[in-house]
Amino acid sequence: MSDLTARMRQAVPEYRPDATAQECMGAILQFVEAVTFPDPDELLAALREVIGEHWPGLPPYARNLAYRMVCLQRPHDAALLREAAHDLRAFGPDWDEEAEELLRRADLLDPRP
């Protein structure tokens, strides 16, 4: 397990049921630091691993930030843009406009029949 995956898991409340508010804030800060500059492949792998283990567990703010960081580094990856859009839709409707924009960009890069 990478340090990035470990920090990402710490952002999942179910993995830390006895954590104090201060410990939770520390985990959030470490998560934000961890997802800021990693290689996009490493970040995407960690994100998929943690989501795969406990799909609803990673809070929307964490998912959105992680996907945003990867999409900024891979703006021409249509499959990734679609993946991020579908994840946003799962926690909508607050994020529906952003999801639609990602899907529009993906379709411009790789039109679907």
Side-chain angles (χ1 to χ4, degrees), residues 4-72:
L4 177 58
T5 303
R7 287 185 184 196
M8 197 171 285
R9 282 191 182 113
Q10 291 300 306
V12 177
E14 286 79 8
Y15 288 156
R16 303 180 52 138
D18 299 326
T20 66
Q22 187 174 7
E23 290 170 334
C24 289
M25 285 304 299
I28 290 168
L29 291 173
Q30 287 184 8
F31 169 81
V32 170
E33 289 175 2
V35 301
T36 303
F37 295 109
D39 173 81
D41 292 329
E42 179 187 4
L43 178 53
L44 192 54
L47 180 61
R48 287 173 175 164
E49 183 176 341
V50 172
I51 288 173
E53 292 170 357
H54 194 273
W55 186 84
L58 193 61
Y61 80 86
R63 302 164 85 99
N64 293 352
L65 179 60
Y67 271 115
R68 180 71 172 157
M69 296 305 294
V70 176
C71 288
L72 285 171

Side-chain angles (χ1 to χ4, degrees), residues 99-110:
E100 289 302 318
E101 176 60 20
L102 288 172
L103 291 172
R104 185 190 68 73
R105 287 177 38 208
D107 287 344
L108 288 173
L109 293 167
D110 181 25

